[in-house]
């Protein structure tokens, strides 16, 4: 059933099966996804396809410099006929929230998502309101060298389980795009491949995937290496280690296995940790990815 989900999304996001699998793994692990890439390569299409394939409610917010936290979370408005304030929920109250070009908004608006992403709730006017389940944020981000962008703070980056990049399609995939139907039309025809209860069942199964002590040794060795000044100025937090372990369980489940292997951690390592690291002697995203890969290559498997 999970492979059927990947297959369906891959008919919309052509030639990017690896990134589609990572997106499904991220949602299966109850994490949030950051997609960093130039405009026009299919980031929004991927978010739409995920939501429609699972029958989840979807909301899209275009982040701009003048976007306010209330535009995202909602606002209480006084209604005379009710003689009181009535809360009008914002777009964050959806099961899949697409935060488009998140790094074009100011820090105040970016921080409005922190509680929602971590606690699955928001506090407005002193009242805590639960978000729907499941709650999944897909944020797109333009390269930081583009004009009008604000780098995401470390506290927010740490709440994204994975960061991926779609990149340009290869020649064969691009030809299929040019010859095929408009993907917006194809999106409208997508039907859910499973019910919400079935999807929640799959998410619940992630916790039952076995993790051997030797694999935990490997994970701890990798995490410890990131905290060494040889590799990084800022290493991985315990939250990041827990997230990586859950992602590994989700990948094993997607592959049809009931145990996590070192290959699961290795396949997820760079997209799961590079955005969280501050590499020694450099700070660019590309340097962080290279440093993460070098660290992985230098750490022996038990």
């Amino acid at each position: 059933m999970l492979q059927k989900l990947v297959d369906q999304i891959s008919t919309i996001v052509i030639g990017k099966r690896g990134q589609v699998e990572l997106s499904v793994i991220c949602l299966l692990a109850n994490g949030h996804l950051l997609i960093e890439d130039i405009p026009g390569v299919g980031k929004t299409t991927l978010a739409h396809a995920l939501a429609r394939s699972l029958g989840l409610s979807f909301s899209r917010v275009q982040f701009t410099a003048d976007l306010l936290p209330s535009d995202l979370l909602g606002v209480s408005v006084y209604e005379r006929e009710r003689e009181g304030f009535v809360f009008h929920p914002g777009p964050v109250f959806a099961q899949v929230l697409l935060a488009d070009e998140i790094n074009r908004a100011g820090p105040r608006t970016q921080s409005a998502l922190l509680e929602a992403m971590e606690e699955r709730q928001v506090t407005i006017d002193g009242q805590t309101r639960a978000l729907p389940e499941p709650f999944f944020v897909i944020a797109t981000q333009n390269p930081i060298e583009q004009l009008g962008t604000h780098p995401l703070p470390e506290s927010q980056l740490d709440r994204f389980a994975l960061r991926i990049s779609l990149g340009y399609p290869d020649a064969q995939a691009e030809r299929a795009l040019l010859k095929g139907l408009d993907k917006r039309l194809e999106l409208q025809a997508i039907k859910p491949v499973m019910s919400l209860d079935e999807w929640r069942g799959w998410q619940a199964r992630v916790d039952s995937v076995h993790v051997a002590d030797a694999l935990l040794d490997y994970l701890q060795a990798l995490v410890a290496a990131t905290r060494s000044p040889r590799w990084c100025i800022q290493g991985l937090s315990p939250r990041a280690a827990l997230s990586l372990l859950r992602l590994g369980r989700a990948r094993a489940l997607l592959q049809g296995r009931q145990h996590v292997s070192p290959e699961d951690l290795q396949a997820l390592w760079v997209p799961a940790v590079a955005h969280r690291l501050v590499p020694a002697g450099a700070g660019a995203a590309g340097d962080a990815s290279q440093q993460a890969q070098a660290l992985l290559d230098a750490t022996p498997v038990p």
Side-chain angles (χ1 to χ4, degrees), residues 187-204:
L187 274 171
Q188 300 303 316
I190 281 186
K191 303 296 182 185
V193 300
M194 67 181 79
S195 68
L196 182 56
D197 286 341
E198 287 176 316
W199 175 250
R200 286 172 173 162
W202 281 108
Q203 286 187 309

Side-chain angles (χ1 to χ4, degrees), residues 208-230:
S208 66
V209 176
H210 177 69
V211 178
D213 287 342
L215 188 117
L216 291 178
D217 292 339
Y218 184 43
L219 174 59
Q220 285 192 284
L222 288 168
V223 171
T226 69
R227 299 168 183 168
S228 166
R230 172 193 172 191

Side-chain angles (χ1 to χ4, degrees), residues 2-300:
L2 292 177
Q3 288 298 332
K4 184 179 178 182
L5 173 63
V6 173
D7 291 341
Q8 176 163 287
I9 299 172
S10 296
T11 64
I12 302 296
V13 186
I14 300 175
K16 301 295 178 182
R17 188 176 182 89
Q19 289 91 333
V20 170
E21 287 187 349
L22 286 174
S23 302
V24 171
I25 288 168
C26 190
L27 182 51
L28 192 61
N30 210 25
H32 304 292
L33 179 67
L34 178 63
I35 309 176
E36 182 176 276
D37 221 320
I38 61 172
V41 293
K43 303 186 295 292
T44 303
T45 302
L46 172 59
H48 272 286
L50 267 170
R52 293 188 70 90
S53 294
L54 291 170
L56 303 178
S57 61
F58 179 85
S59 184
R60 178 180 181 269
V61 178
Q62 183 65 48
F63 277 59
T64 57
D66 59 350
L67 187 74
L68 298 175
S70 58
D71 297 328
L72 181 65
L73 304 181
V75 63
S76 294
V77 178
Y78 184 81
E79 295 187 3
R80 182 176 300 175
E81 59 274 15
R82 299 192 183 184
E83 297 183 348
F85 286 90
V86 176
F87 177 68
H88 295 260
V92 75
F93 288 88
Q95 291 168 318
V96 177
L97 172 66
L98 174 60
D100 212 0
E101 297 186 309
I102 189 174
N103 59 337
R104 290 199 181 277
R108 185 182 174 198
T109 304
Q110 290 178 3
S111 64
L113 271 178
L114 290 178
E115 182 185 11
M117 294 173 69
E118 183 67 18
E119 306 293 338
R120 264 67 176 181
Q121 65 182 30
V122 294
T123 303
I124 305 168
D125 298 330
Q127 183 174 353
T128 299
R129 302 176 187 273
L131 294 172
E133 286 289 342
F135 176 69
F136 186 46
V137 174
I138 302 177
T140 70
Q141 176 173 263
N142 295 319
I144 58 174
E145 61 269 15
Q146 290 196 359
L147 295 176
T149 59
H150 303 269
L152 296 180
E154 288 83 358
S155 59
Q156 184 145 17
L157 286 172
D158 196 41
R159 283 162 170 79
F160 286 103
L162 290 177
R163 183 186 67 182
I164 65 173
S165 176
L166 294 178
Y168 292 116
D170 59 31
Q172 183 179 357
E174 192 161 29
R175 177 61 63 90
L177 284 170
L178 294 171
K179 294 180 68 175
L181 294 173
D182 188 327
K183 292 303 173 187
R184 288 172 294 186
L185 297 177
E186 291 189 38
L187 274 171
Q188 300 303 316
I190 281 186
K191 303 296 182 185
V193 300
M194 67 181 79
S195 68
L196 182 56
D197 286 341
E198 287 176 316
W199 175 250
R200 286 172 173 162
W202 281 108
Q203 286 187 309
R205 290 185 210 178
V206 170
D207 291 326
S208 66
V209 176
H210 177 69
V211 178
D213 287 342
L215 188 117
L216 291 178
D217 292 339
Y218 184 43
L219 174 59
Q220 285 192 284
L222 288 168
V223 171
T226 69
R227 299 168 183 168
S228 166
R230 172 193 172 191
W231 294 105
C232 301
I233 298 172
Q234 176 179 301
L236 296 181
S237 66
R239 173 168 53 197
L242 288 167
S243 175
L244 180 58
L245 182 60
R246 186 166 178 83
L247 288 166
R249 284 180 155 130
R251 185 179 188 272
L253 196 62
L254 181 64
Q255 301 287 334
R257 287 182 280 106
Q258 285 299 316
H259 67 278
V260 183
S261 71
E263 289 75 19
D264 292 317
L265 298 186
Q266 292 163 357
L268 294 163
W269 178 253
V270 173
V273 309
H275 61 288
R276 293 176 159 107
L277 300 178
V278 179
D287 293 324
S289 297
Q290 294 168 13
Q291 194 83 320
Q293 185 61 52
L295 187 156
L296 177 67
D297 294 340
T299 304

